[in-house]
Amino acid sequence: MKKDIQIPEVTDIEMAVVLEHNETHNCDDWNVYLLNKKSVAIEMVVIVSQGFSETKTTSVFRKKIDALPANSVAKIELIQPELFALDNRFQVSFFEGNTLFEKTFTFEKNTIKEGNLRMLTPFNKRGVLGK
C-alpha cells in the first residue's frame, strides 16, 4: 500500500528573507517572501511558521493566500532579528491544479546575516533563500 502513494516533488517554489529599507520608519526591515517561479498560479496557499531551539519556541504563525499568480512573490511576514538566533521553519502547503503539494523551508540559526546575503533577482534586493 505505501508503495502506491505518490508524494509529488515541489519545484519552482522558494522562501526568502530579504533585507529592505523601510521609508516610513527610516530603518532596515527583514521580510519573509514566498516566490512562485512556476508558469502557473498556485492556490489555497497555507504557510505555518515557527522559530525554535532546544530551549525556546516561538508562537506559531499562520498565513493563507487564496492564489499566488505565476512568476510572482508574496510578502508573508516581518521577521525580527532576535529570531535569527533560532531555527526558523516555514511549512508551505498549496494546490497546483487538483494536486496538493507541501514543502518545509528552514533557515538555520545564525544563517540570516549580512555575510550570507546575495542579490535575489525577483527583488533586486539582498536576501537569503531557505533550504
Side-chain angles (χ1 to χ4, degrees):
M1 292 283 214
K2 270 185 155 179
K3 65 179 176 61
D4 296 327
I5 299 173
Q6 294 184 1
I7 300 172
E9 180 182 353
V10 174
T11 58
D12 298 327
I13 299 291
E14 293 182 331
M15 186 72 64
V17 175
V18 177
L19 181 61
E20 299 178 295
H21 185 71
N22 183 328
E23 294 291 334
T24 305
H25 299 289
N26 196 27
C27 64
D28 288 334
D29 287 339
W30 294 89
N31 292 301
V32 181
Y33 285 89
L34 180 65
L35 293 77
N36 178 10
K37 294 184 170 184
K38 294 178 175 290
S39 59
V40 297
I42 57 176
E43 299 174 328
M44 296 296 295
V45 183
V46 176
I47 301 115
V48 179
S49 63
Q50 186 172 34
F52 60 94
S53 70
E54 291 179 11
T55 58
K56 293 182 182 179
T57 303
T58 67
S59 299
V60 174
F61 178 79
R62 292 175 182 84
K63 170 101 176 173
K64 177 183 169 258
I65 302 170
D66 291 325
L68 185 58
N71 299 306
S72 65
V73 299
K75 186 186 284 188
I76 305 303
E77 65 183 66
L78 170 75
I79 187 168
Q80 298 296 322
E82 295 80 22
L83 297 176
F84 300 164
L86 305 174
D87 291 320
N88 289 280
R89 177 178 51 221
F90 295 83
Q91 296 169 295
V92 180
S93 303
F94 62 92
F95 280 95
E96 181 182 335
N98 291 327
T99 306
L100 177 65
F101 290 84
E102 182 176 83
K103 183 165 183 173
T104 300
F105 297 92
T106 303
F107 295 89
E108 294 179 356
K109 65 180 180 181
N110 301 317
T111 58
I112 304 171
K113 59 184 177 183
E114 283 282 339
N116 289 347
L117 297 180
R118 62 184 183 114
M119 192 59 75
L120 301 177
T121 33
F123 307 99
N124 281 336
K125 296 179 182 172
R126 298 178 313 140
V128 178
L129 291 175
K131 295 181 181 180

